[in-house]
Amino acid sequence: PNPFNPSTEIEFSLPKAEDVTLVVYNVLGQQVRRLSQGVLPAGSYQVTFDGRTDSGEMLSSGMYFYRITAGTFSQTRKMLMVK
């Protein structure tokens, strides 16, 4: 998903049903958007991040991080938003 403008797709796969949380953070570690939360069945997924906060405000250009947590698995990746 790097760099992106104005949106990007975050893809992931689950080998079995898991409680999944997908959250976007700014460089200060503050949550800016919760993209997914809840139990998902096994399969492949594609979640769109449109560069907006939970309240609908457009984010500025810069580095952001997304963290996906599924069961005991957790991974953080960086994204670069360029306007």
XYZ file of all heavy atoms in Angstrom:
649
model
N 0.792 -1.219 0.000
C 0.000 0.000 0.000
C 0.831 1.279 0.000
O 0.373 2.299 0.456
C -0.810 -0.129 1.282
C -0.015 -0.989 2.183
C 0.761 -1.889 1.277
N 2.076 1.248 -0.444
C 2.938 2.431 -0.335
C 3.380 2.948 -1.680
O 3.717 2.158 -2.536
C 4.190 2.089 0.471
C 3.883 1.965 1.936
O 3.291 2.858 2.510
N 4.260 0.857 2.513
N 3.571 4.232 -1.867
C 2.763 5.257 -1.188
C 1.344 5.237 -1.742
O 1.111 4.655 -2.796
C 3.479 6.554 -1.547
C 4.174 6.287 -2.825
C 4.506 4.813 -2.817
N 0.431 5.881 -1.050
C -0.959 5.872 -1.511
C -1.550 7.264 -1.515
O -1.098 8.148 -0.812
C -1.821 4.918 -0.682
C -2.100 5.386 0.718
C -3.265 6.071 1.009
C -1.218 5.119 1.741
C -3.539 6.485 2.300
C -1.488 5.526 3.034
C -2.649 6.214 3.316
N -2.546 7.458 -2.361
C -3.290 8.703 -2.458
C -4.497 8.456 -3.345
O -4.320 8.086 -4.487
C -2.437 9.823 -3.033
C -3.204 11.118 -3.186
O -4.280 11.282 -2.631
N -2.659 12.033 -3.953
N -5.677 8.655 -2.973
C -6.143 8.982 -1.623
C -6.519 7.758 -0.812
O -6.866 7.865 0.346
C -7.375 9.826 -1.894
C -7.973 9.209 -3.118
C -6.781 8.745 -3.939
N -6.480 6.547 -1.419
C -6.857 5.360 -0.660
C -5.915 4.207 -0.994
O -5.170 4.253 -1.962
C -8.301 4.966 -0.952
O -8.439 4.534 -2.290
N -5.979 3.169 -0.165
C -5.168 1.980 -0.363
C -5.937 0.763 0.127
O -6.885 0.891 0.911
C -3.809 2.101 0.367
O -2.980 1.010 -0.017
C -3.966 2.144 1.867
N -5.538 -0.396 -0.354
C -6.150 -1.660 0.056
C -5.187 -2.404 0.974
O -4.003 -2.548 0.646
C -6.448 -2.534 -1.156
C -7.383 -1.916 -2.169
C -8.812 -1.837 -1.686
O -9.236 -2.714 -0.911
O -9.509 -0.888 -2.089
N -5.682 -2.883 2.095
C -4.899 -3.701 3.015
C -5.444 -5.116 2.903
O -6.633 -5.350 3.144
C -5.003 -3.171 4.458
C -4.455 -1.746 4.532
C -4.270 -4.102 5.428
C -4.707 -1.043 5.841
N -4.584 -6.032 2.499
C -4.996 -7.410 2.277
C -4.428 -8.322 3.359
O -3.294 -8.137 3.792
C -4.514 -7.888 0.906
C -5.082 -7.085 -0.238
C -4.529 -7.508 -1.579
O -3.716 -8.463 -1.638
O -4.908 -6.878 -2.582
N -5.232 -9.304 3.759
C -4.764 -10.303 4.720
C -5.586 -11.567 4.562
O -6.675 -11.545 3.997
C -4.829 -9.774 6.165
C -6.203 -9.405 6.640
C -6.973 -10.308 7.352
C -6.729 -8.136 6.399
C -8.242 -9.966 7.800
C -7.985 -7.781 6.842
C -8.749 -8.702 7.552
N -5.032 -12.663 5.048
C -5.703 -13.960 4.991
C -5.732 -14.582 6.372
O -4.800 -14.411 7.160
C -4.969 -14.905 4.040
O -5.011 -14.426 2.728
N -6.789 -15.320 6.627
C -6.941 -16.022 7.900
C -7.044 -17.521 7.633
O -7.904 -17.942 6.856
C -8.207 -15.561 8.623
C -8.289 -14.093 9.014
C -9.674 -13.777 9.560
C -7.227 -13.764 10.041
N -6.194 -18.338 8.265
C -6.285 -19.782 8.069
C -7.474 -20.405 8.798
O -7.935 -21.482 8.444
C -4.960 -20.304 8.626
C -4.526 -19.270 9.600
C -5.056 -17.960 9.087
N -7.957 -19.693 9.820
C -9.133 -20.157 10.578
C -9.861 -18.934 11.109
O -9.338 -17.820 11.081
C -8.716 -21.084 11.720
C -7.836 -20.421 12.750
C -7.477 -21.381 13.859
C -6.668 -20.648 14.931
N -6.409 -21.473 16.085
N -11.065 -19.122 11.598
C -11.842 -18.015 12.153
C -11.098 -17.419 13.343
O -10.597 -18.150 14.196
C -13.222 -18.491 12.581
N -10.999 -16.092 13.356
C -10.281 -15.390 14.426
C -10.968 -14.069 14.734
O -11.666 -13.506 13.890
C -8.839 -15.072 14.004
C -7.935 -16.252 13.827
C -7.388 -16.808 15.127
O -7.737 -16.317 16.216
O -6.596 -17.761 15.038
N -10.723 -13.570 15.938
C -11.130 -12.220 16.311
C -10.075 -11.276 15.737
O -8.916 -11.336 16.131
C -11.219 -12.093 17.832
C -11.782 -10.759 18.270
O -12.391 -10.056 17.443
O -11.611 -10.419 19.458
N -10.467 -10.425 14.789
C -9.528 -9.582 14.060
C -9.737 -8.118 14.416
O -10.879 -7.643 14.478
C -9.705 -9.763 12.540
C -8.817 -8.796 11.772
C -9.414 -11.190 12.134
N -8.639 -7.402 14.630
C -8.663 -5.960 14.820
C -7.658 -5.354 13.852
O -6.518 -5.796 13.790
C -8.283 -5.579 16.263
O -9.169 -6.236 17.165
C -8.382 -4.074 16.478
N -8.096 -4.341 13.094
C -7.228 -3.638 12.149
C -7.362 -2.156 12.432
O -8.442 -1.572 12.276
C -7.642 -3.961 10.713
C -6.862 -3.286 9.590
C -5.370 -3.593 9.686
C -7.408 -3.727 8.245
N -6.262 -1.535 12.898
C -6.279 -0.147 13.346
C -5.138 0.621 12.685
O -4.044 0.084 12.515
C -6.141 -0.069 14.888
C -6.139 1.368 15.366
C -7.253 -0.846 15.568
N -5.401 1.889 12.332
C -4.390 2.774 11.759
C -3.973 3.781 12.826
O -4.822 4.350 13.528
C -4.935 3.511 10.515
C -3.902 4.491 9.963
C -5.353 2.509 9.449
N -2.645 4.004 12.934
C -2.080 4.927 13.910
C -1.234 5.981 13.205
O -0.663 5.706 12.145
C -1.163 4.182 14.894
C -1.863 3.135 15.700
C -1.913 1.814 15.274
C -2.474 3.464 16.905
C -2.553 0.844 16.014
C -3.116 2.485 17.657
C -3.160 1.189 17.206
O -3.795 0.225 17.942
N -1.108 7.151 13.827
C -0.177 8.159 13.314
C 1.208 7.900 13.913
O 1.389 6.956 14.691
C -0.678 9.583 13.583
C -0.793 9.917 15.057
O -0.204 9.271 15.925
N -1.570 10.946 15.355
N 2.197 8.735 13.568
C 3.565 8.510 14.046
C 3.721 8.716 15.546
O 4.709 8.280 16.131
C 4.597 9.383 13.286
C 4.685 8.973 11.844
C 4.290 10.842 13.426
N 2.744 9.359 16.178
C 2.776 9.536 17.632
C 2.155 8.356 18.364
O 2.106 8.339 19.589
C 2.044 10.823 18.018
C 2.619 12.111 17.438
C 1.727 13.302 17.805
C 4.041 12.333 17.907
N 1.660 7.371 17.600
C 1.035 6.203 18.205
C -0.421 6.401 18.546
O -1.021 5.555 19.216
N -1.010 7.494 18.083
C -2.426 7.763 18.355
C -3.290 7.073 17.310
O -3.002 7.139 16.111
C -2.689 9.267 18.321
C -1.896 10.033 19.346
C -1.892 11.533 19.070
O -1.802 11.955 17.921
N -1.963 12.313 20.126
N -4.350 6.428 17.769
C -5.265 5.770 16.837
C -5.988 6.830 16.012
O -6.542 7.775 16.568
C -6.281 4.938 17.607
C -7.280 4.252 16.706
C -8.272 3.415 17.475
O -7.894 2.704 18.404
N -9.532 3.501 17.102
N -5.973 6.666 14.693
C -6.695 7.595 13.825
C -7.882 6.935 13.140
O -8.834 7.611 12.764
C -5.775 8.260 12.767
C -4.746 9.140 13.441
C -5.110 7.245 11.876
N -7.835 5.599 12.978
C -8.954 4.923 12.317
C -8.998 3.455 12.698
O -7.989 2.768 12.694
C -8.786 5.047 10.810
C -9.876 4.426 9.960
C -11.058 5.386 9.834
N -12.126 4.825 9.054
C -12.304 5.054 7.754
N -11.487 5.824 7.088
N -13.321 4.509 7.128
N -10.181 2.976 13.050
C -10.402 1.543 13.287
C -11.114 1.026 12.041
O -12.235 1.415 11.749
C -11.249 1.307 14.526
C -11.474 -0.170 14.804
C -12.185 -0.389 16.119
N -11.425 0.136 17.240
C -10.512 -0.547 17.929
N -10.234 -1.785 17.595
N -9.875 0.011 18.937
N -10.426 0.157 11.296
C -10.966 -0.334 10.033
C -11.771 -1.614 10.180
O -12.675 -1.870 9.396
C -9.827 -0.577 9.035
C -9.052 0.670 8.616
C -7.831 0.278 7.792
C -9.952 1.603 7.831
N -11.427 -2.430 11.170
C -12.118 -3.697 11.332
C -11.984 -4.170 12.765
O -10.935 -4.004 13.378
C -11.516 -4.746 10.380
O -12.165 -5.981 10.514
N -13.057 -4.745 13.264
C -13.016 -5.360 14.581
C -14.132 -6.380 14.654
O -15.277 -6.074 14.345
C -13.181 -4.343 15.698
C -13.078 -4.978 17.075
C -13.061 -3.955 18.192
O -13.063 -2.761 17.948
N -13.028 -4.431 19.406
N -13.776 -7.592 15.035
C -14.767 -8.642 15.177
C -14.248 -9.970 14.658
O -13.158 -10.062 14.109
N -15.059 -10.991 14.835
C -14.677 -12.331 14.404
C -14.951 -12.475 12.916
O -16.040 -12.151 12.438
C -15.447 -13.404 15.202
C -15.109 -14.793 14.701
C -15.130 -13.280 16.691
N -13.933 -12.942 12.186
C -14.053 -13.182 10.754
C -13.774 -14.656 10.476
O -12.889 -15.241 11.097
C -13.055 -12.334 9.967
C -13.223 -10.821 10.032
C -12.078 -10.137 9.295
C -14.553 -10.412 9.421
N -14.502 -15.257 9.538
C -14.219 -16.650 9.178
C -12.922 -16.762 8.376
O -12.405 -15.755 7.872
C -15.430 -17.049 8.332
C -15.993 -15.778 7.820
C -15.656 -14.719 8.835
N -12.417 -17.967 8.227
C -11.213 -18.202 7.435
C -11.429 -17.699 6.017
O -12.536 -17.757 5.485
C -10.885 -19.690 7.418
N -10.362 -17.151 5.429
C -10.455 -16.655 4.061
C -9.540 -15.474 3.835
O -8.773 -15.080 4.708
N -9.635 -14.910 2.628
C -8.838 -13.744 2.251
C -9.705 -12.497 2.309
O -10.874 -12.528 1.917
C -8.283 -13.922 0.842
O -7.397 -15.012 0.804
N -9.098 -11.397 2.749
C -9.831 -10.148 2.930
C -9.070 -8.983 2.339
O -7.842 -8.992 2.273
C -10.091 -9.885 4.423
C -10.987 -10.927 5.024
C -10.457 -12.084 5.580
C -12.358 -10.770 4.999
C -11.283 -13.060 6.107
C -13.192 -11.737 5.522
C -12.652 -12.878 6.074
O -13.481 -13.837 6.581
N -9.819 -7.961 1.945
C -9.259 -6.732 1.407
C -10.049 -5.585 2.039
O -11.258 -5.475 1.835
C -9.424 -6.737 -0.113
C -8.612 -5.724 -0.833
C -8.712 -5.935 -2.343
O -9.787 -6.192 -2.873
N -7.592 -5.816 -3.020
N -9.361 -4.750 2.818
C -9.996 -3.642 3.518
C -9.479 -2.335 2.922
O -8.273 -2.163 2.758
C -9.697 -3.694 5.038
C -10.326 -2.517 5.757
C -10.183 -5.009 5.630
N -10.381 -1.419 2.604
C -9.997 -0.140 2.023
C -9.799 0.902 3.110
O -10.657 1.075 3.974
C -11.076 0.358 1.043
O -11.248 -0.625 0.023
C -10.684 1.678 0.413
N -8.651 1.578 3.058
C -8.395 2.724 3.931
C -8.410 3.953 3.036
O -7.608 4.079 2.122
C -7.047 2.577 4.642
C -6.653 3.780 5.444
C -7.514 4.336 6.379
C -5.413 4.364 5.280
C -7.151 5.449 7.118
C -5.032 5.469 6.015
C -5.911 6.020 6.936
N -9.352 4.860 3.299
C -9.563 6.020 2.436
C -8.831 7.282 2.888
O -9.089 8.374 2.382
C -11.049 6.315 2.294
C -11.724 6.650 3.613
O -11.033 6.718 4.658
O -12.954 6.845 3.610
N -7.905 7.152 3.839
C -7.125 8.306 4.279
C -7.886 9.238 5.199
O -7.507 10.395 5.370
N -8.943 8.732 5.817
C -9.761 9.553 6.719
C -9.717 9.001 8.135
O -9.474 7.826 8.355
C -11.208 9.617 6.238
C -11.342 10.297 4.898
C -12.815 10.462 4.509
N -12.922 11.099 3.218
C -12.909 12.407 3.019
N -12.794 13.223 4.049
N -13.006 12.899 1.806
N -9.985 9.887 9.087
C -10.051 9.498 10.493
C -11.402 8.842 10.770
O -12.287 8.824 9.914
C -9.895 10.721 11.415
O -11.024 11.577 11.218
C -8.607 11.475 11.142
N -11.570 8.346 11.999
C -12.861 7.780 12.397
C -13.980 8.815 12.300
O -15.126 8.475 12.046
C -12.796 7.241 13.833
C -12.108 5.887 13.914
O -12.163 5.126 12.934
O -11.504 5.597 14.967
N -13.639 10.102 12.489
C -14.660 11.160 12.436
C -14.853 11.709 11.023
O -15.640 12.626 10.828
C -14.291 12.290 13.400
O -13.052 12.864 13.035
N -14.117 11.165 10.033
C -14.315 11.566 8.646
C -13.390 12.645 8.127
O -13.478 13.037 6.966
N -12.483 13.135 8.966
C -11.544 14.168 8.529
C -10.441 13.550 7.676
O -9.957 12.460 7.973
C -10.914 14.855 9.742
C -11.897 15.578 10.633
C -11.232 16.085 11.902
O -10.093 16.578 11.815
O -11.845 15.955 12.969
N -10.033 14.264 6.625
C -8.955 13.797 5.761
C -7.627 13.957 6.493
O -7.349 14.994 7.079
C -8.948 14.599 4.464
C -8.112 13.995 3.405
S -8.833 12.431 2.915
C -7.756 11.976 1.611
N -6.801 12.913 6.465
C -5.490 12.974 7.101
C -4.510 13.735 6.214
O -4.668 13.786 4.997
C -4.957 11.559 7.334
C -5.718 10.736 8.362
C -5.268 9.286 8.314
C -5.516 11.298 9.750
N -3.489 14.291 6.836
C -2.455 14.994 6.077
C -1.438 13.994 5.548
O -1.393 12.841 5.968
C -1.771 16.032 6.973
O -1.184 15.392 8.076
N -0.615 14.444 4.623
C 0.460 13.595 4.094
C 1.391 13.191 5.231
O 1.597 13.952 6.175
C 1.273 14.365 3.057
O 0.499 14.631 1.924
N 1.942 12.003 5.140
C 2.886 11.567 6.147
C 2.882 10.071 6.332
O 2.222 9.328 5.608
N 3.621 9.631 7.334
C 3.765 8.222 7.655
C 2.673 7.802 8.628
O 2.393 8.492 9.609
C 5.132 7.979 8.302
C 5.432 6.536 8.585
S 5.812 5.581 7.126
C 7.327 6.365 6.611
N 2.071 6.660 8.346
C 1.063 6.062 9.210
C 1.390 4.582 9.366
O 2.134 4.016 8.567
C -0.348 6.248 8.632
C -0.747 7.698 8.606
C -0.471 8.497 7.506
C -1.353 8.285 9.710
C -0.791 9.841 7.493
C -1.687 9.631 9.706
C -1.398 10.394 8.598
O -1.708 11.730 8.597
N 0.856 3.968 10.384
C 1.081 2.559 10.642
C -0.259 1.863 10.780
O -1.204 2.442 11.301
C 1.867 2.368 11.946
C 3.225 3.004 11.909
C 3.395 4.326 12.304
C 4.319 2.289 11.467
C 4.644 4.924 12.255
C 5.571 2.876 11.425
C 5.734 4.198 11.811
N -0.335 0.637 10.294
C -1.517 -0.155 10.587
C -1.097 -1.411 11.325
O -0.032 -1.961 11.072
C -2.341 -0.478 9.337
C -1.724 -1.429 8.347
C -1.900 -2.802 8.473
C -0.997 -0.960 7.262
C -1.361 -3.686 7.554
C -0.451 -1.830 6.336
C -0.641 -3.188 6.487
O -0.099 -4.056 5.585
N -1.900 -1.809 12.278
C -1.644 -3.019 13.056
C -2.832 -3.947 12.897
O -3.975 -3.540 13.131
C -1.429 -2.711 14.525
C -1.350 -4.017 15.360
C -1.023 -3.771 16.789
N 0.420 -3.530 16.828
C 1.031 -2.948 17.835
N 0.352 -2.518 18.862
N 2.326 -2.784 17.806
N -2.524 -5.160 12.501
C -3.556 -6.189 12.423
C -3.267 -7.209 13.512
O -2.128 -7.643 13.685
C -3.617 -6.842 11.027
C -4.767 -7.830 10.983
C -2.296 -7.460 10.635
C -5.157 -8.274 9.606
N -4.299 -7.533 14.259
C -4.204 -8.527 15.313
C -5.290 -9.564 15.056
O -6.453 -9.207 14.862
C -4.413 -7.889 16.699
O -3.468 -6.830 16.854
C -4.221 -8.897 17.807
N -4.878 -10.832 15.009
C -5.814 -11.936 14.791
C -5.412 -13.067 15.717
O -4.376 -13.701 15.511
C -5.779 -12.390 13.335
N -6.206 -13.278 16.750
C -5.842 -14.295 17.741
C -4.546 -13.895 18.418
O -4.420 -12.787 18.926
N -3.527 -14.758 18.370
C -2.236 -14.451 18.989
C -1.274 -13.780 18.019
O -0.187 -13.368 18.410
C -1.571 -15.746 19.525
O -1.390 -16.661 18.440
C -2.429 -16.389 20.609
N -1.667 -13.659 16.745
C -0.829 -13.026 15.726
C -1.023 -11.515 15.750
O -2.135 -11.019 15.863
C -1.214 -13.557 14.341
C -0.523 -12.846 13.213
C 0.756 -13.188 12.837
C -1.166 -11.821 12.532
C 1.400 -12.535 11.794
C -0.542 -11.159 11.489
C 0.744 -11.513 11.117
N 0.080 -10.775 15.636
C 0.017 -9.317 15.543
C 1.131 -8.847 14.624
O 2.265 -9.325 14.735
C 0.160 -8.685 16.923
O 0.045 -7.286 16.824
N 0.800 -7.926 13.709
C 1.795 -7.398 12.790
C 1.517 -5.922 12.556
O 0.374 -5.509 12.404
C 1.746 -8.143 11.459
C 2.819 -7.717 10.489
C 2.772 -8.560 9.225
O 1.717 -8.738 8.631
N 3.911 -9.078 8.834
N 2.600 -5.136 12.520
C 2.502 -3.710 12.259
C 3.293 -3.396 10.999
O 4.419 -3.854 10.847
C 3.056 -2.888 13.440
O 2.344 -3.255 14.625
C 2.907 -1.396 13.197
N 2.667 -2.614 10.103
C 3.328 -2.197 8.863
C 3.157 -0.708 8.705
O 2.185 -0.105 9.191
C 2.687 -2.892 7.652
C 2.891 -4.380 7.608
C 4.243 -4.696 7.007
N 4.564 -6.088 7.064
C 4.512 -6.913 6.044
N 4.117 -6.481 4.875
N 4.858 -8.176 6.201
N 4.089 -0.078 7.965
C 3.981 1.359 7.752
C 3.386 1.638 6.382
O 3.494 0.847 5.459
C 5.305 2.048 7.948
C 6.413 1.605 7.061
C 7.691 2.329 7.438
C 8.881 1.705 6.725
N 10.115 2.374 7.090
N 2.753 2.823 6.284
C 2.147 3.301 5.045
C 2.537 4.759 4.869
O 2.645 5.489 5.852
C 0.613 3.251 5.106
C -0.006 1.934 5.399
S -1.801 2.020 5.351
C -2.164 2.924 6.854
N 2.723 5.178 3.661
C 3.073 6.563 3.375
C 1.960 7.182 2.537
O 1.705 6.749 1.425
C 4.405 6.631 2.615
C 4.906 8.032 2.284
C 5.153 8.831 3.559
C 6.178 7.922 1.465
N 1.304 8.193 3.120
C 0.255 8.913 2.405
C 0.856 10.148 1.763
O 1.489 10.957 2.433
C -0.873 9.317 3.343
C -1.997 10.013 2.651
S -3.392 10.195 3.762
C -4.442 11.215 2.784
N 0.699 10.268 0.439
C 1.239 11.388 -0.312
C 0.089 12.086 -1.019
O -0.677 11.457 -1.729
C 2.282 10.904 -1.362
C 2.813 12.069 -2.147
C 3.400 10.147 -0.668
N -0.005 13.390 -0.819
C -1.080 14.152 -1.471
C -0.557 14.837 -2.689
O 0.562 15.205 -2.813
C -1.664 15.175 -0.517
C -2.507 14.538 0.551
C -3.218 15.598 1.331
C -4.119 14.950 2.354
N -4.871 15.897 3.095
